[in-house]
Amino acid sequence: MPVLKDATAIVGIGQTPFAKQLPETERALACRAILSALDDAGIEPTEVDALASYTMEETDEVELAKALGLGGLTFFSKVGYGGGGSCATVSHLAAAIATGQATVGVAWRSRKRGSGPRPWKNTTVQLPTPAQWTRPFGLLRPADEIAMLARRHMHEYGTTRDHLFNVALACRNRANQNPAAIMYDRPLTREMYMNSRWISEPLCLFDNCLETDGALACVLVSAERARDCRRPPVYVHSAAQGLPAQHHGMVNYWNDDPLTGPAWTAARHLWKHADFAPEDVDVAQIYDAFTALIPLSLEGYGFCDRGEGGAFTEGGALEIGGRLPLNTSGGGLSEAYVHGFNLITEGVRQLRGTSTAQVPGASTCLVTAGEGVPTSALLLRS
Amino acid sequence: MLTPIVDEDGAPFWSYARRGELRIQACADCDELRFPPRPCCPHCRSFETEWRHLTGQGRIWSYVLPHPPLLPDYAEQSPYNVVLVELTDAPHIRLVGNLVSEPGARLNSVPVERIRIGARVQVVFTDTGLPQWVLERP
Ligand SMILES: [Zn+2]
């Protein structure tokens, strides 16, 4: 019997405003998001004894514990691979709490990516990855790396730009309902999508996430303690990380089947320990740095068969009322791109019944981290 | 332009490439090819390696056309192509590269209409030893 299943719950979430440019430092934003999450939970900062974060995070646990006056920490962890680590922060805290290593855990993300430097704007130096096999040839950005897989998926399975548009539109429609989203008041049309500029063909402007300043946090405690908190508990039902055999990161071009990425590995473990199956998921928050990741993830997490991820998006499947309402705060494509942490907080809001695009009666939610890098995922339930 | 930052495992590839040879790392014990290069064979865990000479024939597995914002040298040639080539004599070994009209030509020297998945290509090398690809039937 898995120790983790429903043993812990998310009881607090918090965030700063999202914007292209915020005046405060990443450290100050992180402090604000964490304090807001603790306040949401009704828990004092001195009670926090565990922190979890993921890489590409500039605010470290020493500085935050000092600034926030946290208690003595008995657990802290940092998960690798940037956006692939978002859900794993929650699962590491859940494991620590379920096994008695800590009692109150906080995970967070703070970024100034919107106003920060972009490597191709002001430098000709090699980007800091050992990318001797890809970068010299001009495969420079994550968009280029994923576009390669997207083109192959289109060729092999008949996935179309309209399928990718369905993803972009679902996210944008939800952002249009969410006053906190950067794209709150900016509707998207098919014409805008099809006429937008290319970033890396076959991916256009609207296939790419937003670059955003902002911070978010969530608070985790045992299921027992959660019953006494301010908000309805959102239970961590199942959790997994995923690093497949012969995986190579974003440029997953060298295994037998480059179109089966980390989602497949994470999914196998995620469902093995769950009391419900993909068809029982009421709402999904799937990592959307690029629209093309969604068909791959829909296949990987078992919502459809291999090759059917594009077709799955047809007929409003990803909209509210559809087969699988997607990224109901607008996701990385249209709410804010904060390395996927907003997908976790939106999953919590859905199961509390407080989303701005509420799926009626939602009681189960899949949240995923970056596909295309060693990843992680959570099944949440109310 | 970016030049490859060569690590110890990859160094033989690049020194053969400077001589105009496409060689891929193979296990000297079980014979399996592997790419990118690494110290140990994932099939039999042997540390004995050799560098196998291949014909340099392949097919385009996929390709992209990057547009700005890009590093300046690349932006100046955009939209250019980046192709992923699957080697004919080594299934599942795929190399990232550029489809060009002749060795050393610009990254956008082949018209976009000529690029398609499945097209047969042949490796060529620039004078600095960077592998590039030309269409077998230009
Ligand atoms: Zn071997």
Side-chain angles (χ1 to χ4, degrees):
Chain A
M1 179 64 194
V3 172
L4 206 68
K5 187 195 286 181
D6 302 331
T8 61
I10 299 174
V11 291
I13 52 173
Q15 67 191 45
T16 66
F18 302 127
K20 194 82 184 162
Q21 288 198 300
L22 292 173
E24 287 188 301
T25 63
E26 282 186 355
R27 199 182 296 177
L29 294 171
C31 288
R32 289 191 190 282
I34 292 172
L35 288 175
S36 144
L38 286 166
D39 182 56
D40 187 51
I43 291 175
E44 287 300 316
T46 50
E47 293 186 72
V48 174
D49 56 7
L51 290 177
S53 61
Y54 44 133
T55 51
M56 304 183 191
E57 177 62 55
E58 301 300 325
T59 62
D60 72 32
E61 48 272 341
V62 173
E63 294 303 321
L64 290 185
K66 214 160 52 177
L68 294 168
L70 303 185
L73 300 182
T74 54
F75 180 93
F76 40 93
S77 82
K78 186 168 244 180
V79 186
Y81 307 103
S86 59
C87 292
T89 60
V90 172
S91 70
H92 284 208
L93 291 174
I97 293 167
T99 54
Q101 297 177 79
T103 58
V104 176
V106 170
W108 79 96
R109 187 51 145 198
S110 181
R111 297 190 97 200
K112 292 194 74 170
R113 185 68 181 266
S115 56
R118 310 300 293 136
W120 45 86
K121 271 188 185 161
N122 49 14
T123 174
T124 54
V125 297
Q126 174 79 284
L127 299 168
T129 341
Q132 62 187 311
W133 312 110
T134 57
R135 291 265 158 81
F137 308 101
L139 203 68
L140 300 174
R141 308 159 299 180
D144 306 317
E145 296 169 336
I146 294 301
M148 192 74 88
L149 298 177
R151 169 97 63 187
R152 181 71 192 188
H153 200 272
M154 290 169 150
H155 171 82
E156 222 168 300
Y157 298 117
T159 305
T160 64
R161 291 193 68 211
D162 265 304
H163 292 144
L164 302 184
F165 166 65
N166 290 340
V167 173
L169 181 66
C171 291
R172 185 62 70 91
N173 285 343
R174 298 297 81 74
N176 292 161
Q177 295 173 257
N178 173 13
I182 289 185
M183 295 298 182
Y184 174 52
D185 49 4
R186 297 170 67 179
L188 178 68
T189 64
R190 186 176 181 279
E191 193 186 4
M192 286 164 68
Y193 177 90
M194 291 297 171
N195 294 331
S196 71
R197 63 186 172 88
W198 293 114
I199 299 298
S200 193
E201 293 177 59
L203 300 184
C204 71
L205 179 66
F206 295 113
D207 292 312
N208 289 262
C209 60
L210 307 165
E211 293 294 353
T212 311
D213 288 4
L216 304 102
C218 73
V219 181
L220 211 79
V221 297
S222 71
E224 195 183 4
R225 169 141 190 202
R227 286 191 277 275
D228 302 326
C229 287
R230 263 180 203 163
R231 312 277 179 207
V234 169
Y235 296 98
V236 177
H237 183 66
S238 182
Q241 291 180 261
L243 197 178
Q246 298 296 313
H247 180 66
H248 194 87
M250 294 290 286
V251 284
N252 189 38
Y253 304 156
W254 295 294
N255 61 12
D256 288 352
D257 185 359
L259 295 179
T260 55
W264 274 258
T265 302
R268 217 173 298 133
H269 186 83
L270 197 66
W271 296 119
K272 189 164 81 184
H273 293 299
D275 292 345
F276 54 93
E279 57 268 28
D280 307 313
V281 169
D282 295 324
V283 58
Q285 315 295 336
I286 299 180
Y287 197 92
D288 59 344
F290 307 103
T291 55
L293 295 178
I294 301 297
L296 294 174
S297 293
L298 290 170
E299 296 170 18
Y301 287 101
F303 293 101
C304 59
D305 285 337
R306 170 74 194 269
E308 292 176 1
F312 185 96
T313 68
E314 292 170 7
L318 307 179
E319 304 284 340
I320 299 291
R323 209 165 141 196
L324 186 69
L326 177 80
N327 298 3
T328 45
S329 66
L333 287 163
S334 276
E335 183 189 30
Y337 184 61
V338 274
H339 264 147
F341 210 96
N342 54 327
L343 301 174
I344 300 173
T345 52
E346 173 61 10
V348 171
R349 285 190 295 261
Q350 279 288 347
L351 301 185
R352 286 177 173 181
T354 60
S355 171
T356 52
Q358 185 62 42
V359 173
S363 66
T364 57
C365 179
L366 168 74
V367 186
T368 77
E371 176 64 2
V373 286
T375 193
S376 53
L378 294 169
L379 290 174
L380 303 177
R381 57 161 284 255
S382 57
Chain B
M1 303 294 282
L2 299 175
T3 51
I5 292 178
V6 176
D7 66 9
E8 211 167 301
D9 294 320
F13 177 94
W14 297 108
S15 67
Y16 286 118
R18 274 192 299 277
R19 290 190 247 152
E21 286 180 34
L22 182 71
R23 288 192 184 239
I24 297 292
Q25 191 184 30
C27 174
D29 280 320
C30 78
D31 231 32
E32 289 275 354
L33 292 162
R34 59 182 192 260
F35 189 87
R38 70 205 68 164
C40 177
C41 170
H43 305 280
C44 76
R45 283 84 196 176
S46 167
F47 285 74
E48 301 303 314
T49 70
E50 60 187 36
W51 286 80
R52 183 94 29 95
H53 189 261
L54 298 180
T55 61
Q57 291 172 335
R59 284 172 180 273
I60 295 177
W61 189 87
S62 187
Y63 67 97
V64 299
L65 305 171
H67 292 248
L70 295 158
L71 293 173
D73 289 346
Y74 294 87
E76 185 261 323
Q77 301 182 60
S78 78
Y80 56 90
N81 70 74
V82 186
V83 294
L84 187 60
V85 174
E86 190 159 56
L87 299 179
T88 309
D89 39 6
H92 306 313
I93 301 255
R94 304 179 186 97
L95 297 174
V96 176
N98 306 108
L99 189 67
V100 293
S101 57
E102 58 183 358
R106 287 166 62 87
L107 305 187
N108 58 4
S109 54
V110 172
V112 171
E113 320 76 79
R114 306 289 327 276
I115 309 171
R116 61 172 185 85
I117 289 178
R120 291 175 182 280
V121 295
Q122 171 68 47
V123 75
V124 292
F125 293 89
T126 66
D127 46 18
T128 59
L130 203 64
Q132 296 187 311
W133 302 88
V134 295
L135 287 165
E136 248 183 34
R137 277 176 298 187

